[in-house]
Amino acid sequence: MNYKMGEVEVGTRVECNGARGTVRYIGEVTETNGLWYGVDWDDSQRGKHDGSHNGVKYFTTRHPTSGSFVRPTKVSTGITLEAAVRDRYQADTTTSTQVTNEFQRTIKAKFVEFVGMEKIGAKQRQLEFLNIAVVRGCGIWGSDEVNLTQLLPRLHHLDISNSLLTSWVAVAHITCQLPSLRVLNLSGNSLRLPECGHELCGSTKHITHLIINNMLDYTWPHLMSCCTMFPALTQLKVAYNNLVELGPIPPKQLECLEELDLSANSFTSWTQVNYLGTLQRLTAVNIRNCQLKYVEFPDVPATEKTSLFPTLEALVLDNNPLNLWDCSAELDKLPKLQKLVYSIDENVTPNLPEFIYARIQNLKALNHSPVTSMEKKESELFYLKSFSNEYYNSGGHEDPSEASLTQEFIAKHPSYLRLVKVHGTPVDETNFKSNKSQKLKDLQKIEVTVVTPDHPERECCVKSFLPTTKVAKVKMMLKRQLKINAAATLTLSYYTKGRENYEYPIDNDIQELSYYSMQNAFTPKRSEGYRKMSEGEEYDVMTPLGPLTPSSCSGGISASSSTEFNSRRCYREVPHRLAGKGRPGRAELDQNNIYGLLYIHEDGNHQARLYRTRHILSDRGRA
């Protein structure tokens, strides 16, 4: 490599045997001969003292053991960016062999062949077509009189981390010659701050992605001072800078910032993080591996959205000493949060992922695992059921408008009422549990035959359930019994003996089986069940319909494990007419004169079957 020994002065960055440091003293040392450099090494364990020798203080060091004296011939002042790029991509013809040998050692294989390495190497040697240049740790001190615009006209990404650059002025001298440059990595450098960063904006205004991790002795104000040189910045990484506190964002600074990486720093207060909430375009923040102990948005109460972070969609919080259950209530205040990364230990809090999906309204992915709308709904229903007793014991009511919840419950479950408005109130089980006289043996079990239409090869089996058994528990038991994947979506329906062609959906996981009249709790005087109805079909009678309740409790449950399957019950207006015998003319169904309960059954092929329930009420008679 072509090292250029420049004129060394105090403040010059030098390298010796792979260790980098800053010259703090040039001169003689007592009781020795010749010239010495007093170097303050970046690695505090590299030196031997604090800049003193035989009781005489020659220079000041960053650490008590980071200083030492070296001869000028032992250090290097580095090379230019042009020399580093040529050495890396043109002069080195052994790259392919080195990569192959290193890969062999990594995977412990004797024979490895890379196809196309020669072609890639030939393309990279044409510097005018080079898009990415990685010259990390090559000892670059800056650029000389060579025109980098002609040498690297298409360079888009430049990595000059762990170099020997001394100031931001040297950086600006490089970037001003690379108009196509957008991504700049300066991590691990010790750069003197500019007296006026705005004066360098003309040389750095085209940079949109800046990486300044592990900058020696930089504080938050120092980092903000550097950012004044980059008005178009959209991505900023300032990890591993040992930041113990942040601070307010200066006016008209980082106005275009969308992604920010603050990982592996040492601040502990979420108040510091809230300073970033004024950034109006910020969509992603990485605060991994810091020392945060809580999350708090004190500007709004528990059930409202904060004005901070108005566009934040992704947040990384793993490896922080946080209680995610408590934090999730605060994170729900973020109006657009969709992706969250956090370290979860389900041994501490069982079912925590499901609860987090329910508690954070707009959450769509947890730990990089996306959630479907169906899984989101099931998590919300499960959350409602899990804390239903606490809801009713805290002043809840089956009619949410009459609920008078305690402040303690609202603070602990701020999203509960929102979910109640969406899915309805859960069943109040507090009265049943308090009534100790009710014995399980007094409840007549429902005996059903289980069949699987999607898998006719499975044999039918007979199961017995209590009327108070939840549908969710029935699904769980059937999955174990039939050896169905626990992650599969199970859809249930049932029919009664003698009416095998009429299926009734079981479509609400938080309801009990008795809700679907699978016991003789109520039987109308006369019921004709479900029967198919086609468009334009005429009926011999039209009477208002009451609720359908099968007259028999024994029958079959039909289970489908197809993830494409969807079953739902709905009331709809019918676009065609129904003719009534004995009535003049024709009558249309409308909202004020309901003559039919329609059930839409959609299978995996999206083919709809239309049913009509018809009840003959004794007080109306037959026309």
Side-chain angles (χ1 to χ4, degrees):
M1 301 179 71
N2 299 320
Y3 286 93
K4 177 180 179 179
M5 298 296 295
E7 182 178 350
V8 178
E9 58 186 17
V10 174
T12 299
R13 298 279 291 167
V14 295
E15 183 179 16
C16 178
N17 296 328
R20 296 183 301 277
T22 305
V23 175
R24 298 300 183 190
Y25 172 78
I26 301 175
E28 297 181 351
V29 178
T30 57
E31 300 180 0
T32 64
N33 297 321
L35 186 67
W36 293 90
Y37 288 164
V39 180
D40 182 16
W41 301 103
D42 297 346
D43 182 1
S44 61
Q45 304 301 318
R46 171 64 175 80
K48 298 180 179 180
H49 50 71
D50 61 352
S52 302
H53 179 69
N54 291 338
V56 179
K57 186 76 170 180
Y58 291 92
F59 61 95
T60 302
T61 60
R62 296 166 47 249
H63 301 281
T65 59
S66 62
S68 65
F69 292 100
V70 295
R71 293 294 187 181
T73 56
K74 297 293 184 180
V75 300
S76 167
T77 56
I79 60 175
T80 64
L81 175 61
E82 176 202 3
V85 171
R86 292 189 182 278
D87 287 341
R88 174 67 178 81
Y89 294 100
Q90 286 186 331
D92 189 359
T93 60
T94 63
T95 301
S96 176
T97 303
Q98 291 177 349
V99 171
T100 302
N101 293 338
E102 182 178 354
F103 191 69
Q104 286 177 337
R105 290 192 299 268
T106 302
I107 68 174
K108 298 180 180 180
K110 294 183 179 180
F111 304 100
V112 175
E113 180 180 2
F114 287 96
V115 179
M117 285 290 291
E118 295 80 5
K119 183 177 180 181
I120 295 175
K123 184 177 181 180
Q124 289 181 338
R125 282 191 285 273
Q126 300 177 8
L127 299 183
E128 62 272 18
F129 298 107
L130 192 64
N131 292 319
I132 300 176
V134 179
V135 284
R136 181 187 307 115
C138 291
I140 296 171
W141 61 265
S143 63
D144 53 16
E145 301 302 325
V146 175
N147 190 341
L148 295 178
T149 304
Q150 297 179 357
L151 181 67
L152 302 167
R154 299 187 180 184
L155 193 65
H156 178 270
H157 183 136
L158 177 61
D159 184 350
I160 49 177
S161 57
N162 299 327
S163 298
L164 298 180
L165 295 163
T166 59
S167 68
W168 284 96
V169 174
V171 174
H173 184 63
I174 293 175
T175 57
C176 70
Q177 302 180 68
L178 301 172
S180 298
L181 189 64
R182 295 296 179 269
V183 182
L184 179 62
N185 190 345
L186 294 169
S187 301
N189 283 295
S190 179
L191 302 174
R192 289 195 303 271
L193 295 171
E195 295 182 359
C196 184
H198 293 286
E199 296 179 356
L200 301 178
C201 286
S203 302
T204 57
K205 61 182 179 181
H206 52 289
I207 304 298
T208 60
H209 186 171
L210 179 63
I211 307 172
I212 46 177
N213 300 332
N214 194 27
M215 302 295 286
L216 301 181
D217 299 327
Y218 268 30
T219 63
W220 181 255
H222 293 156
L223 295 173
M224 291 297 98
S225 177
C226 298
C227 291
T228 59
M229 297 179 287
F230 302 91
L233 210 58
T234 60
Q235 299 181 53
L236 174 64
K237 294 184 179 181
V238 290
Y240 297 94
N241 279 300
N242 196 30
L243 299 175
V244 295
E245 62 180 13
L246 307 181
I249 304 296
K252 297 183 179 181
Q253 192 165 326
L254 300 179
E255 292 181 330
C256 300
L257 191 65
E258 298 176 0
E259 299 181 16
L260 176 62
D261 186 353
L262 287 164
S263 59
N265 283 294
S266 303
F267 49 87
T268 61
S269 173
W270 188 264
T271 303
Q272 304 295 323
V273 179
N274 281 340
Y275 285 127
L276 309 174
T278 58
L279 298 174
Q280 297 300 306
R281 296 188 181 182
L282 191 63
T283 60
V285 176
N286 183 351
I287 322 180
R288 172 186 288 117
N289 198 26
C290 294
Q291 303 299 320
L292 291 172
K293 299 179 180 178
Y294 65 95
V295 175
E296 184 181 21
F297 299 101
D299 59 324
V300 291
T303 56
E304 297 182 13
K305 301 296 183 181
T306 179
S307 59
L308 300 174
F309 300 99
T311 57
L312 186 65
E313 297 179 358
L315 181 61
V316 179
L317 287 174
D318 57 329
N319 294 330
N320 281 288
L322 292 168
N323 184 326
L324 188 56
W325 173 264
D326 296 334
C327 294
S328 61
E330 291 294 314
L331 294 175
D332 187 44
K333 295 179 180 180
L334 294 171
K336 294 189 177 181
L337 182 63
Q338 298 181 11
K339 301 177 183 178
L340 178 64
V341 177
Y342 184 81
S343 303
I344 294 178
D345 185 0
E346 291 197 52
N347 294 325
V348 177
T349 306
N351 304 311
L352 185 58
E354 290 79 5
F355 293 156
I356 298 304
Y357 279 128
R359 287 166 66 87
I360 301 180
Q361 182 176 5
N362 298 318
L363 193 64
K364 295 181 179 179
L366 181 61
N367 291 343
H368 307 292
S369 297
V371 60
T372 64
S373 57
M374 179 62 69
E375 291 171 337
K376 178 84 169 176
K377 177 181 177 182
E378 290 176 351
S379 297
E380 292 172 349
L381 292 173
F382 179 64
Y383 177 73
L384 287 174
K385 174 187 177 299
S386 299
F387 299 96
S388 60
N389 289 345
E390 188 174 349
Y391 168 74
Y392 285 108
N393 291 331
S394 301
H397 194 273
E398 292 184 353
D399 185 354
S401 61
E402 297 184 12
S404 180
L405 294 171
T406 63
Q407 291 300 318
E408 181 181 357
F409 180 86
I410 294 176
K412 186 178 180 181
H413 303 280
S415 59
Y416 202 91
L417 274 181
R418 170 178 59 82
L419 296 177
V420 165
K421 293 179 181 178
V422 175
H423 302 292
T425 54
V427 176
D428 185 2
E429 297 179 345
T430 54
N431 293 331
F432 296 104
K433 291 187 177 181
S434 61
N435 187 5
K436 298 182 180 180
S437 62
Q438 184 179 10
K439 304 294 184 180
L440 289 178
K441 62 182 181 181
D442 296 333
L443 298 176
Q444 183 180 2
K445 289 188 176 182
I446 302 173
E447 186 176 273
V448 296
T449 302
V450 180
V451 295
T452 54
D454 290 351
H455 299 278
E457 69 278 4
R458 286 198 180 108
E459 295 183 0
C460 300
C461 60
V462 178
K463 295 286 292 184
S464 296
F465 301 99
L466 290 171
T468 56
T469 306
K470 299 289 186 182
V471 173
K473 186 173 182 180
V474 171
K475 289 184 177 181
M476 179 183 65
M477 296 169 67
L478 290 177
K479 285 181 180 180
R480 287 200 298 260
Q481 175 74 23
L482 302 176
K483 297 182 180 179
I484 296 175
N485 188 345
T489 300
L490 196 65
T491 305
L492 302 181
S493 61
Y494 77 96
Y495 60 86
T496 60
K497 286 184 178 180
R499 302 178 186 275
E500 287 78 2
N501 293 328
Y502 310 136
E503 290 188 11
Y504 312 110
I506 305 175
D507 53 5
N508 193 331
D509 286 356
I510 67 173
Q511 295 292 354
E512 299 175 353
L513 291 180
S514 59
Y515 173 79
Y516 295 94
S517 302
M518 296 189 70
Q519 61 178 347
N520 292 326
F522 169 72
T523 303
K525 295 182 179 180
R526 183 176 178 184
S527 172
E528 295 190 4
Y530 282 117
R531 79 182 192 84
K532 290 185 178 180
M533 181 182 70
S534 60
E535 186 170 351
E537 183 178 353
E538 295 187 356
Y539 291 83
D540 59 355
V541 67
M542 286 175 53
T543 55
L545 301 180
L548 171 68
T549 305
S551 59
S552 174
C553 66
S554 62
I557 291 182
S558 175
S560 172
S561 59
S562 172
T563 56
E564 298 288 335
F565 194 87
N566 180 32
S567 179
R568 59 191 174 91
R569 181 178 309 203
C570 58
Y571 298 86
R572 294 187 177 179
E573 296 182 37
V574 179
H576 56 273
R577 297 172 180 269
L578 301 178
K581 182 178 179 181
R583 295 177 182 269
R586 298 176 179 269
E588 288 190 7
L589 299 186
D590 56 39
Q591 295 180 352
N592 300 319
N593 190 22
I594 302 299
Y595 284 95
L597 172 61
L598 304 181
Y599 172 61
I600 304 298
H601 187 83
E602 298 178 357
D603 58 24
N605 296 322
H606 304 286
Q607 296 173 351
R609 291 179 289 175
L610 191 58
Y611 295 87
R612 176 176 185 267
T613 303
R614 206 181 84 205
H615 287 255
I616 309 300
L617 301 185
S618 59
D619 56 344
R620 291 294 300 267
R622 183 178 292 274

